[in-house]
Amino acid sequence: EGMALPQRIFPSEKISMDWQQRERPGAGLFNLGNTCYINVILQCLTYTPPLASYLLSYQHSQSCQQQGFCMMCTMEAHVRKVLCSSATAVLPGAVLRDLKFIGEEFEYGRQENAYEFLRCTLDAMHRACLSCHLDVSSQETTIVHQIFGGFMKSRVTCLSCQAVVDSYKAFLDVSLDIRAASSLTTVLEDCVTPKQLDQTECFRCSKCKKKAAASKKVTVHRAPRVLTLCLERADQWTGTKISKFVEYPEYLDLRPYMSDPAGEPLLCSLYAIVVHSGDTCLEGHFLCYAK
């Protein structure tokens, strides 16, 4: 509300959630020394059908106006190299060469976090799609946001007069606190359960015109085509790794966690997982599994 209708940078009807043709398993990626955090994310993105289909179509590179580094062109070349190569393994050389352009905090040869690399990669691809100055609503219609992007709804309810205030925020991924849960569904149920704001979060009700106790409920207002979840395994207080088992279904119904929980089931099919192996979050090895 109050925002101009967005320009459509990429038409949503052109996004295909299925492979345009059957693809055989592509080439593996060589680990060049502490580059596993890069390889696992590149592999998961390579086997994300709507993104791979778009990149294999050359739609971006044929109209790209970026000067110098372009993450979409880099990913297009990488996906084609992996899926079309006859080799058993290839070097992700272009990505490693331009690592500083993807995230200036990354240093070649040093162990890094795969989740942070994913976020930086998606942001870099998103920026590559913005050829001119656009308002916020238009920026969220790039191919990246149309595949990975959704909207969260935050509803704050005044516990004195029951007035509600809604706000919305775009997201490309969702980070989840797993300390008190044994399954993904219990984590999500806790996320959408209303919680009373603590005293440090001042809430002044616009209806009863006073500071009042309030509760807050967060739901998925618009689901992304591809849902990316991060199970937080680094304890925020001690920094130690949370190694507990968290059950995750192959098919997740997102509907109970939506703003409108009474609609048709919204099934998400699990197709890729990144796993960290190691005793602490500061060292170890990343593996990935993808359909």
Side-chain angles (χ1 to χ4, degrees), residues 113-187:
N113 187 289
Y115 177 52
E116 291 304 318
F117 182 74
L118 170 65
R119 302 193 76 173
C120 289
T121 299
L122 292 180
D123 285 342
M125 287 196 294
H126 169 63
R127 292 194 303 271
C129 297
L130 302 176
S131 58
C132 57
H133 180 73
L134 296 164
D135 59 78
V136 174
S137 58
S138 295
Q139 290 178 17
E140 289 158 1
T141 64
T142 64
I143 181 68
V144 176
H145 268 273
Q146 293 210 48
I147 293 175
F148 299 97
F151 279 88
M152 288 292 189
K153 176 181 178 179
S154 176
R155 168 163 288 188
V156 177
T157 303
C158 175
L159 298 181
S160 176
C161 69
Q162 301 303 308
V164 298
V165 178
D166 292 336
S167 59
Y168 303 88
K169 184 178 181 180
F171 68 89
L172 290 175
D173 58 80
V174 180
S175 188
L176 299 172
D177 184 349
I178 62 171
R179 288 174 297 172
S182 59
S183 69
L184 180 66
T185 52
T186 55
V187 176

Side-chain angles (χ1 to χ4, degrees), residues 215-248:
S215 67
K216 182 179 181 180
K217 180 179 181 179
V218 178
T219 53
V220 179
H221 192 66
R222 193 187 76 192
R225 288 178 170 84
V226 174
L227 176 64
T228 305
L229 302 176
C230 174
L231 308 184
E232 295 178 0
R233 293 201 172 272
D235 188 286
Q236 60 180 327
W237 302 113
T238 65
T240 57
K241 181 178 176 179
I242 302 172
S243 298
K244 66 186 296 183
F245 179 79
V246 178
E247 184 180 5
Y248 192 115

Side-chain angles (χ1 to χ4, degrees), residues 3-22:
M3 296 177 67
L5 288 174
Q7 304 173 38
R8 293 212 304 169
I9 298 177
F10 188 84
S12 59
E13 60 270 15
K14 288 189 177 182
I15 297 175
S16 173
M17 293 302 294
D18 299 314
W19 293 99
Q20 296 304 296
Q21 60 187 34
R22 181 175 292 276

Side-chain angles (χ1 to χ4, degrees), residues 13-71:
E13 60 270 15
K14 288 189 177 182
I15 297 175
S16 173
M17 293 302 294
D18 299 314
W19 293 99
Q20 296 304 296
Q21 60 187 34
R22 181 175 292 276
E23 298 286 349
R24 64 175 180 81
L29 302 180
F30 285 112
N31 188 340
L32 300 180
N34 292 333
T35 59
C36 58
Y37 74 96
I38 296 173
N39 289 356
V40 292
I41 297 305
L42 292 178
Q43 291 289 56
C44 288
L45 293 176
T46 297
Y47 295 102
T48 300
L51 178 64
S53 297
Y54 172 76
L55 294 174
L56 290 171
S57 71
Y58 288 113
Q59 290 184 64
H60 177 81
S61 59
Q62 288 176 350
S63 60
C64 181
Q65 299 177 356
Q66 292 285 325
Q67 299 296 319
F69 171 73
C70 172
M71 191 64 203

